[in-house]
Amino acid sequence: MTHSTPTASSPSAPEDGARTGRPDRNLALELVRATEAAAIRAVPFIGKGDKIAVDGAAVDAMRAFLSTVSFDGVVVIGEGEKDEAPMLFNGERVGNGQGPACDVAVDPVDGTSMAAAGRQNALSVIAVADRGAMLDASSVFYMDKLVTGPEGRGVVDIRKPVGENIRALAAALGKRPEEVVVAILDRPRHEGIVREIREAGAGTRLLLDGDVAGGINAARSGTRIDMCVGIGGSPEGVTTACAVKALGGFMQGVLAPKDDAERDRGLAAGLLMDHVYDADDLVKGEDAFFVATGVTDGGLLDGVRYGDGVIRTESIVLRTQSGTVRRVVAEHLASKWL
């Protein structure tokens, strides 16, 4: 038994769910069930220090719920290759095989290390688009990314120094550079760019893990983050692009192979090296969904909460076709999850 309270942060444009062979708007609520399940099942392992256990519980729950969804999905962007974690693997078929043919990007827990450590900002994430719409970047694990709100379009460029981009974006936002906040993964590889950000006068929001939420908050209006930069996972880049397109934000990405062998694998797979991909290159078309449920509390979503015989979840649902942002707060009878 689930009580859901959806709210929209923008006026809802007409949504046509009757187009044969295309993702239907009702698909969004079906996908939320899968991210909710993954988040709930991960909770017993939060703070226990075992990220494999966190991921394994979430993967099993997401796979089980996706099997009931009316669509013919193929996982284009899966998780697990980087650290041999449990995974919904690339090429895996999901859904009941009926309904629209879709590409699927999954991350049962974006931020497994954070969840395992009991830290904030872990999410369960699914993105869905028309079949053939998502860039399969699986042969190159990392991508250099730049995300802003719509004000960054035609103003910032990933090929420019970060300080120049900060000053340009600040002017477009009507701010001083000192008021700009830039999100970036807290990694040794980013020490130089963090120094450049601060030398430009901007502040940093250092992310411990999982840059999907950072990218979304950079693209959304009304958040404290103005820009998200740096090298993170290419799967997360494609997933983030679904959200950025729905939010009307701006995104660029450049694949960042670790070595020549990975670069060669990417070229053999048809990927473009040293090429600036934009959001429309990463996810083609205008009919895609992004769905996320909070696992632990964060700036984007509240985490799973238990109390008074119910389990409370908070999710966000974005759709590119309508440009809507919906929050779904659900209360699940805890007895159904024992």
Side-chain angles (χ1 to χ4, degrees), residues 156-177:
V156 299
D157 192 305
I158 198 170
R159 293 163 290 196
K160 294 179 180 178
V162 68
E164 184 177 339
N165 282 331
I166 288 169
R167 290 185 288 272
L169 183 62
L173 293 171
K175 294 183 174 184
R176 295 178 295 113

Side-chain angles (χ1 to χ4, degrees), residues 68-332:
T68 70
V69 177
S70 294
F71 75 133
D72 178 14
V74 174
V75 176
V76 175
I77 300 295
E79 274 292 303
E81 295 96 327
K82 292 194 293 292
D83 54 10
E84 297 183 353
M87 61 184 291
L88 281 148
F89 59 86
N90 291 350
E92 181 172 350
R93 303 300 287 258
V94 293
N96 64 10
Q98 302 174 12
C102 299
D103 282 351
V104 183
V106 295
D107 199 343
V109 179
D110 177 49
T112 51
S113 296
M114 293 188 296
R119 296 192 179 104
Q120 295 188 334
N121 290 312
L123 303 171
S124 179
V125 174
I126 297 175
V128 170
D130 292 329
R131 180 68 52 80
M134 291 183 182
L135 179 72
D136 181 357
S138 58
S139 55
V140 178
F141 292 145
Y142 293 101
M143 178 185 293
D144 193 8
K145 289 166 266 190
L146 168 64
V147 183
T148 72
E151 298 84 0
R153 187 170 286 105
V155 172
V156 299
D157 192 305
I158 198 170
R159 293 163 290 196
K160 294 179 180 178
V162 68
E164 184 177 339
N165 282 331
I166 288 169
R167 290 185 288 272
L169 183 62
L173 293 171
K175 294 183 174 184
R176 295 178 295 113
E178 291 77 11
E179 298 174 289
V180 172
V181 176
V182 182
I184 185 170
L185 284 169
D186 188 7
R187 298 289 187 272
R189 62 178 177 265
H190 290 149
E191 289 177 358
I193 193 169
V194 167
R195 185 167 53 252
E196 291 179 46
I197 291 168
R198 292 171 177 169
E199 287 174 352
T204 55
R205 180 70 56 84
L206 298 179
L207 308 173
L208 291 174
D209 201 358
D211 57 354
V212 173
I216 293 172
N217 281 326
R220 291 176 63 213
S221 61
T223 74
R224 189 64 188 91
I225 294 174
D226 302 296
M227 183 188 300
C228 186
V229 301
I231 296 174
S234 56
E236 289 85 350
V238 176
T239 304
T240 302
C242 284
V244 170
K245 283 165 67 77
L247 293 165
F250 175 74
M251 179 175 181
Q252 293 178 321
V254 178
L255 293 169
K258 299 187 296 293
D259 50 37
D260 289 342
E262 189 176 58
R263 182 184 181 89
D264 289 343
R265 285 197 298 273
L267 290 171
L271 297 174
L272 303 175
M273 302 298 144
D274 307 314
H275 172 78
V276 178
Y277 288 94
D278 63 22
D280 288 328
D281 296 323
L282 297 172
V283 182
K284 300 182 185 301
E286 291 301 326
D287 202 3
F289 293 99
F290 174 92
V291 177
T293 299
V295 178
T296 59
D297 287 344
L300 181 64
L301 294 165
D302 287 339
V304 179
R305 285 180 167 78
Y306 283 73
D308 298 324
V310 299
I311 304 169
R312 181 184 180 276
T313 58
E314 184 182 19
S315 305
I316 190 169
V317 178
L318 312 176
R319 191 181 187 191
T320 58
Q321 187 194 26
S322 56
T324 49
V325 180
R326 291 187 172 89
R327 288 183 180 270
V328 178
V329 176
E331 292 183 351
H332 316 257

